[in-house]
Amino acid sequence: MLKEFSNKVQSLQPSAIREILKFTADPTVISFAAGNPAPEAFPTDVIAKLSADIFAEEPINALQYSITEGYPKLREWLRDDLTKKGMFKDGDNIVITSGAQQAIETTAKILCNEGDVIICEDPAFIGSLNAFRSYGVKLVGVPMDSDGMIMDELEAALKANPTTKFIYTIPNFQNPTGKTTTLERRKQMLELAKKYGVYIVEDNPYGALRFSGEDVTNIKELDDSKHVLYCGSFSKVLAPGLRVGYLLGDAEVIAKATVGLQTSTVHTNIWAQMLTYRFLTTVDFDAHLAKLRDIYRNKCKLMLDGLKAELPDFIELTSPEGGLFIWGTLPEKYNMNEFCTEVVHRKVALVPGNAFSADESAVSHSFRMNFSTPTDEQIVKGVQILGQAAREILK
Amino acid sequence: MLKEFSNKVQSLQPSAIREILKFTADPTVISFAAGNPAPEAFPTDVIAKLSADIFAEEPINALQYSITEGYPKLREWLRDDLTKKGMFKDGDNIVITSGAQQAIETTAKILCNEGDVIICEDPAFIGSLNAFRSYGVKLVGVPMDSDGMIMDELEAALKANPTTKFIYTIPNFQNPTGKTTTLERRKQMLELAKKYGVYIVEDNPYGALRFSGEDVTNIKELDDSKHVLYCGSFSKVLAPGLRVGYLLGDAEVIAKATVGLQTSTVHTNIWAQMLTYRFLTTVDFDAHLAKLRDIYRNKCKLMLDGLKAELPDFIELTSPEGGLFIWGTLPEKYNMNEFCTEVVHRKVALVPGNAFSADESAVSHSFRMNFSTPTDEQIVKGVQILGQAAREILK
């Protein structure tokens, strides 16, 4: 029968965020709904120069087929850097992917049969949830408090779901909540993964964007037992349009992931990999990151200070120490979807929290706000509109 | 259990070609085993200039997140071009992919459950076969004669396999055989697809590289019933390292494919899409293609004339009218794998034909030779070595 899609994708829907972003095609709408890096964070002049260098020095290498594993020099740089950081262990390997999203998708493809379980933070990043759904996986969400996943609930979920293949987590400045998992919780999560014989897929797109507080050790660094598959990305620290990310973990798993990637994209755009390598080895990367952190620290402060001044006290707000998102939660008596709908009619776009739920039909009282994409002027104006809407609607 | 991979990828192996290509790391080995475009076919100066233009004129667009559907200007160009060619029909749509390989993979993902059947030419392109295998699909190969798939065998396969989701074909200068499916067979294949209610996935990476004979109408053009999903590629006509291809077909299928791609790569490297668009609209694309055809016509003739002069008459050779490959077949009394092994020890790498079999354990007497990647000198020398080996071994 034509038009009969596979079971695994039949009910797969476009990301709810994309539907909201349609409103933002209207240039008068202020979007707090996206997740794009700030355009001023792109080192455009340096990239233009490095790209010209590539075409002057090795144009054929930048245009010919390459190997699935990734550009060797970039993989070597990553291996050295991640070894220094205690992340790359003996017996590990790295494969370059077309964004961390492809790394995440590939873990589901190679590890999960239809009906298997992936345990995730609830709420969690919609792109990953949809990638998991696209393999017919059952998602089991574990609620979070301000320290991350609640460990008793995680253990209960692991006990109740013996076909669990991995725990998916964004421990730093999580998307959508902005929450950071504490060191204690990371250690506990790793112990539970070992106890129940499951992987942890640690997704860390924002880790380098900490603008306050102290770094918390990555779970990959804590792990000496090959239980962690680590997804890294250059989207937030260089540019997302390049689509360069990577998967780090047990060499046997990386080998299988590589075979999977060979049947998909064959390899990641090679110019983008060469450009990333040249960027990492040409510029002062730490200084570049410091500049990004300054941008996001200022934008986050601007939005958060504004929200605290404008919104009623009963709206809970997270205070992220990095990343791109603030998470707001209404008291249960209010209807979050009605609030978001009213607000978008007033020309500010938020993302309703249920977009990030493991169970999309669950009721959510939360909404996600992004501070990296809007200009400072848009942040100030958007926050004012939000405040006025809240005062008028939430009575 | 850690390291227990999903059923669908458990037995998936790296492409056999990659194993052979390891021999070619030895610079003294002449490789007829690859499938890379000729480096001299890359318009490197034009690409360097267009890339510089992009960074001078719209750097942010080239670096920021983009939409999964693809760069709108490139999609519009393709829609117009494919409409002119009678390929884009009412109710069709296009999505840009990271190479045609990703388009092929995505058709399997969205259409096939594990255990479903895909019918393919036997032999067929290993990259596609492995993509299908990676979704736990059962491959049913249909033998070919010089006109393409044998239609009685195709109908028998369709009858015997009611869970068939699509017929996969490379009708022009097929990889690996170099054979072109006749118009009559294309029409028959489409009628059979309609009769049995299955799609045809028409993969056409080499169609623009016809260097002799007359173009044969694409199956997509023959189809007015939404039975054909067409995979296009810029890898062989611009540069494969860019990873830009597309899927064309019924808008409902493209919508589902787009949702699938959103969970994988999010979008194809946007610089590469912008570059492709600028190339198509800046240069004389027909003149560019004419130049490529000249290169491949000459290389094919050099190899084929040499093979005919050097090899014993009992080795059958195809005479491709385009594309990148010649297919050789030994009489049944000879062991093809032994021949390929002996030849590689004499420093010429071929691809054993069983790499392209739907059933990898089936005996093959054929081998694939590529004329696009080696230099003219390598072609001449490699053919001499092949001839001497054949005379000495095949007695």
Side-chain angles (χ1 to χ4, degrees), chain A residues 98-308:
Chain A
S98 298
Q101 177 77 36
Q102 196 188 28
I104 294 161
E105 184 228 357
T106 301
T107 60
K109 179 169 182 176
I110 64 168
L111 294 172
C112 299
N113 293 314
E114 288 183 43
D116 281 349
V117 167
I118 294 172
I119 295 178
C120 58
E121 289 145 352
D122 204 359
F125 171 47
I126 186 171
S128 298
L129 298 185
N130 279 343
F132 302 153
R133 289 179 182 126
S134 81
Y135 288 100
V137 167
K138 186 183 160 201
L139 296 173
V140 173
V142 172
M144 307 167 78
D145 59 23
S146 56
D147 290 347
M149 268 191 208
I150 298 169
M151 288 297 127
D152 288 349
E153 303 257 10
L154 173 58
E155 180 151 22
L158 285 162
K159 253 187 207 150
N161 295 284
T163 64
T164 299
K165 287 301 169 71
F166 60 80
I167 303 162
Y168 171 73
T169 179
I170 300 182
N172 293 312
F173 333 121
Q174 196 233 16
N175 181 356
T177 63
K179 290 177 183 176
T180 294
T181 302
T182 61
L183 179 61
E184 191 53 31
R185 289 279 174 91
R186 295 178 193 217
K187 289 178 179 170
Q188 289 169 342
M189 190 188 293
L190 181 58
E191 287 312 308
L192 287 173
K194 288 187 202 173
K195 182 172 171 185
Y196 289 89
V198 302
Y199 286 102
I200 293 172
V201 173
E202 181 178 26
D203 182 14
N204 191 23
Y206 317 112
L209 298 181
R210 172 176 285 280
F211 45 71
S212 70
E214 294 293 320
D215 279 340
V216 183
T217 311
N218 290 311
I219 310 173
K220 182 74 182 78
E221 186 179 345
L222 298 171
D223 174 37
D224 282 313
S225 58
K226 306 286 176 211
H227 280 74
V228 179
L229 302 170
Y230 180 89
C231 303
S233 173
F234 290 99
S235 291
K236 308 305 184 295
V237 295
L238 183 50
L242 299 176
R243 313 306 306 125
V244 180
Y246 60 91
L247 183 64
L248 160 70
D250 181 0
E252 282 186 50
V253 178
I254 299 302
K256 189 60 85 175
T258 305
V259 175
L261 292 162
Q262 193 176 114
T263 70
S264 169
T265 43
V266 187
H267 64 78
T268 294
N269 179 293
I270 181 64
W271 166 87
Q273 295 186 69
M274 293 166 78
L275 188 78
T276 301
Y277 168 73
R278 284 178 183 245
F279 187 80
L280 291 166
T281 53
T282 305
V283 306
D284 181 341
F285 192 55
D286 288 335
H288 170 71
L289 291 178
K291 187 190 147 201
L292 298 190
R293 289 186 201 110
D294 287 344
I295 293 172
Y296 293 121
R297 183 185 300 110
N298 291 337
K299 281 187 174 288
C300 181
K301 187 173 188 307
L302 186 67
M303 182 177 274
L304 204 53
D305 286 353
L307 291 170
K308 283 175 181 166

Side-chain angles (χ1 to χ4, degrees), chain A residues 65 76 80 86 103 191 275 365:
Chain A
Y65 276 117
E76 275 165 41
D80 291 349
E191 287 312 308
L275 188 78
H365 293 92

